[in-house]
Amino acid sequence: MFRFDPYSPAIDADPFPAYKRLRDEFPCFWSEEAQMWVLSRYADIVSAGQDWQTYSSASGNLMTELPGRAGATLGTTDPPRHDRLRGLIQHAFMKRNLESLGEPIRAIAREAAEELRGRASFDFKDFSAKFTVRVLMAALGLPMGAEATVDEQTVRENAVLMVQSDPATRTKGPQHLAAFEWMKRYAADVIALRRAQPRNDLISNFAQAEIDGDRLSEAEVLLTTTTLIMAGVESLGGFMMMFALNLADHRDARRAVVADPALLADAVEESLRFNTSAQRFKRRLMKDVALHGQTMRAGDFVCLAYGAGNRDERQYPNPDVYDIARKPRGHLGFGGGVHACLGTAIARLSVRIAFEEFHKVVPDYARVHAQLAWMPSSTFRSPLALELAPQ
């Protein structure tokens, strides 16, 4: 029997050969290491994402969940509660004109990129970390500059710790739980500040969102804000690291987007398919399901292996080829079904602008190290460092 550990750093280092064998030989199997079923084929993952009555998120969606999140956030609820939360949060997003963020985002990217000029080599995280935190702080309404209560590096470090797990125990350790508690306290302080002094930012809009007299509860505002900071910092930062890695490894694609920045939008979508940071999320079965000769029982957990689905040759011909002309419709880089990511618009806008400005300073670059260390997370995948050298 083929053994697959979705928590393993070894799998994270190069998961796709293992994923291919899963899709070919074991499209639905029980993982003893993870104590859950694993779905690896695109069609099965999409079907599960749409069938929330069977594949429930209410027991948590992170592979190693944080205490108190399950059933209290957009990603950890099912309809009809999920629909209520999504409607209120979408209302808050709609009130925030994302296009108005274009110039502030560009200014942040330009400043972060200029710090790299003339350096013989650098860790791309020096750019992506500063850019990501500052963009999220501006969009969400986190205190910045003279108003800041804590420095942006502390916010980022705690957000990253929240999504990590102990590589030995595969559970949240004391440092991860402490980061979660710190973020909740920080979010509560920001919410109180924005209620006292509301602005045109997402947290102000969350706190005041109302549809037909229905508003978010205090717990929902707090945990939604906490989750948005965590997911925003890590998801956006992690994907930027993966996008830079993909472009560093594929010279022709890199040169094409530098010569014609309009191609960046297509390159972003192909990177989300080819090698994204959001690798896998979990669900819990509400009833028995027979699939590929296996019977999964009600109450069992199921891993939706998005990274495997994005490389499924049944959906994407030549899936291991990075092709920025592919236009991979329906990719799972932002999840799918009722839990498709709400922040896709700001993520796409931010990454495109960030790389436009980065490429003005560093138009040609290559990896310094062939081997990379990967973040110890059972849900997300990105390098801990990505040393690049201008060419």
Side-chain angles (χ1 to χ4, degrees), residues 82-110:
H82 168 273
D83 295 343
R84 169 186 172 273
L85 283 170
R86 192 175 186 93
L88 287 165
I89 294 170
Q90 277 183 322
H91 183 67
F93 267 91
M94 288 170 61
K95 290 183 68 176
R96 182 66 166 114
N97 182 359
L98 294 182
E99 288 303 318
S100 69
L101 286 171
E103 282 311 307
I105 288 173
R106 190 170 298 280
I108 292 169
R110 188 179 298 121

Side-chain angles (χ1 to χ4, degrees), residues 172-244:
K172 298 294 186 189
Q175 69 275 34
H176 309 119
L177 299 179
F180 181 48
E181 292 301 319
W182 183 93
M183 192 64 76
K184 285 196 294 184
R185 292 192 299 271
Y186 173 65
D189 290 343
V190 175
I191 292 165
L193 177 63
R194 291 293 169 252
R195 281 196 167 131
Q197 301 173 339
R199 299 178 180 178
N200 183 23
D201 57 49
L202 290 176
I203 293 178
S204 296
N205 292 337
F206 289 148
Q208 301 173 61
E210 181 176 323
I211 300 177
D212 297 329
D214 191 13
R215 301 184 66 174
L216 292 167
S217 70
E218 290 298 314
E220 288 166 341
V221 172
L222 175 61
L223 286 169
T224 295
T225 302
T226 302
T227 299
L228 278 170
I229 298 170
M230 172 193 76
V233 170
E234 174 45 41
S235 295
L236 181 57
F239 175 63
M240 284 182 64
M241 292 285 282
M242 296 301 285
F243 190 26

Side-chain angles (χ1 to χ4, degrees), residues 109-120:
R110 188 179 298 121
E111 180 182 352
E114 280 297 329
E115 295 179 15
L116 305 177
R117 191 179 295 276
R119 291 168 61 173

Side-chain angles (χ1 to χ4, degrees), residues 357-372:
E357 295 302 321
F358 174 69
H359 286 153
K360 291 176 183 176
V361 175
V362 189
D364 200 10
Y365 47 91
R367 260 207 261 181
V368 173
H369 305 295
Q371 298 298 317
L372 300 175

Side-chain angles (χ1 to χ4, degrees), residues 27-29 37-39 44-45 55 289-296:
C28 171
F29 76 100
W37 295 92
V38 178
L39 302 187
D44 294 335
I45 295 167
Y55 297 87
V289 175
L291 188 64
H292 298 297
Q294 303 286 343
T295 299
M296 304 184 292

